[in-house]
């Protein structure tokens, strides 16, 4: 039986300040007043499993470290973060929020991002990041002090988000595998290669998008073998070169 903990004040229900902690099988109800469901402050190699965090004014799951702390290799599995300000979020670009894993998690109907990541080496495997106000998943933001890098997204479901399925505003060397025609925004200050593979779009397309990279300036798209297929437009000052193969509409 899942335990329910309901917030009654503007605070986080759980704050993790030590490594190797495990929290599982609990529903966290922000009740419209709680700030965060779980706040990870120094949670090195902790595991959060089957936790449902909803209706928080901040984030369902927030990673926000004091100086000298370490959130590396935290794992969230089968968790849900719906109807918060943001679902899962690294609150700022910090030194040690690296190697996080999100396995089959869900973030829907959040005001901002379903998942906002800043760091190195996140693994987002499966799950659903849909119907959020901005991005389903956002990798880095323009004002960050450093670049988010080496992210791997493996078939997350990214439907009907307000801005786009995935945003890569200030991030480099990402590997993104999606399906059903979900789109990726590579704009702003992204300055390095992304590999994006989109298999079997929702309009019946069969498309392969690989090795987007900036080469000194804006580059147009390459559209190969399309039948009524839209070109792949360059986006922003750090435009991405892409190839679409065999698109059908």
């Amino acid at each position: 039986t899942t335990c329910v903990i309901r917030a009654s004040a503007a605070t986080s229900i759980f704050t993790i300040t030590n490594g190797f902690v495990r929290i599982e099988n609990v529903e966290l109800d922000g009740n419209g007043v709680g700030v965060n469901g779980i706040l990870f402050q120094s949670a090195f190699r902790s595991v959060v499993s089957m936790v449902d965090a909803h209706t928080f004014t901040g984030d369902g799951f927030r990673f926000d470290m004091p100086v000298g702390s370490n959130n590396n290799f935290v794992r969230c599995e089968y968790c849900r973060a719906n109807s918060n300000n943001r679902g899962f979020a690294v609150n700022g670009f910090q030194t040690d929020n690296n190697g996080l894993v999100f396995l089959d998690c869900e973030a829907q109907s959040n005001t901002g991002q379903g998942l906002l990541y800043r760091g190195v080496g996140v693994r987002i495997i499966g799950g659903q990041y849909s119907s959020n106000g901005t991005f389903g998943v956002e990798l880095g933001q323009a004002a960050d002090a450093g670049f988010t890098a080496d992210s791997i997204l493996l078939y997350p479901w990214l439907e009907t988000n307000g801005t786009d399925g995935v945003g890569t505003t200030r991030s480099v060397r990402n590997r993104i595998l999606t399906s059903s025609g979900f789109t990726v925004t590579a704009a702003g200050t992204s300055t390095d290669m992304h590999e994006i593979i989109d298999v079997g779009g929702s309009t019946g397309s069969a498309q392969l998008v690989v090795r987007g990279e900036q080469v000194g300036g804006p580059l147009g798209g390459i559209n190969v073998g399309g039948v009524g297929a839209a070109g792949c437009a360059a986006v922003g000052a750090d435009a991405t070169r892409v190839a679409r193969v065999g698109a059908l509409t």
Side-chain angles (χ1 to χ4, degrees):
T1 302
T2 300
C3 171
V4 180
I5 302 176
R6 183 167 292 109
S8 59
T11 187
S12 300
I13 289 183
F14 289 121
T15 299
I16 303 178
T17 57
N18 292 289
F20 295 94
V21 170
R22 185 175 186 93
I23 299 175
E24 60 185 355
N25 297 329
V26 62
E27 177 185 345
L28 306 178
D29 180 358
N31 198 31
V33 296
V35 179
N36 305 301
I38 298 179
L39 174 60
F40 301 88
Q41 286 194 329
S42 188
F44 177 79
R45 288 199 180 278
S46 291
V47 175
V48 177
S49 180
M50 299 291 290
V51 175
D52 179 2
H54 58 85
T55 55
F56 287 90
T57 61
D59 306 321
F61 301 81
R62 176 179 290 189
F63 298 80
D64 197 357
M65 306 182 314
V67 175
S69 297
N70 188 331
N71 277 329
N72 289 344
F73 312 120
V74 169
R75 182 181 181 92
C76 294
E77 54 187 29
Y78 313 113
C79 291
R80 182 163 58 188
N82 295 342
S83 302
N84 306 289
N85 181 44
R86 300 176 299 196
F88 304 83
V90 176
N91 200 44
F93 190 87
Q94 302 160 339
T95 304
D96 288 312
N97 286 304
N98 303 320
L100 306 186
V101 175
F102 298 90
L103 174 63
D104 281 336
C105 290
E106 174 187 316
Q108 298 192 81
S109 302
N110 295 287
T111 303
Q113 301 90 340
L115 192 158
L116 170 60
Y117 181 70
R118 295 153 157 141
V120 176
V122 68
R123 303 294 183 263
I124 301 170
I125 304 168
Q128 183 172 9
Y129 303 88
S130 300
S131 302
N132 297 289
T134 59
F135 292 100
V137 175
E138 186 172 12
L139 304 171
Q141 292 196 309
D144 290 349
F147 284 88
T148 292
D150 301 318
S151 305
I152 292 180
L153 281 66
L154 180 60
Y155 275 104
W157 193 261
L158 301 164
E159 189 175 22
T160 60
N161 292 287
T163 304
D164 215 337
V166 178
T168 60
T169 304
R170 188 170 172 81
S171 62
V172 297
R173 301 189 304 273
N174 302 305
R175 307 293 186 269
I176 301 170
L177 177 63
T178 70
S179 64
S180 298
F182 301 129
T183 52
V184 178
T185 294
T189 52
S190 291
T191 58
D192 204 349
M193 183 266 288
H194 304 295
E195 289 186 355
I196 305 168
I197 302 173
D198 183 345
V199 181
S202 58
T203 59
S205 63
Q207 55 187 289
L208 175 65
V209 183
V210 292
R211 290 192 61 78
E213 58 186 300
Q214 180 191 12
V215 186
L219 296 173
I222 302 171
N223 186 350
V224 181
V227 180
C232 299
V235 183
D238 307 304
T240 299
R241 180 174 63 188
V242 298
R244 169 179 279 184
V245 180
L248 301 175
T249 58

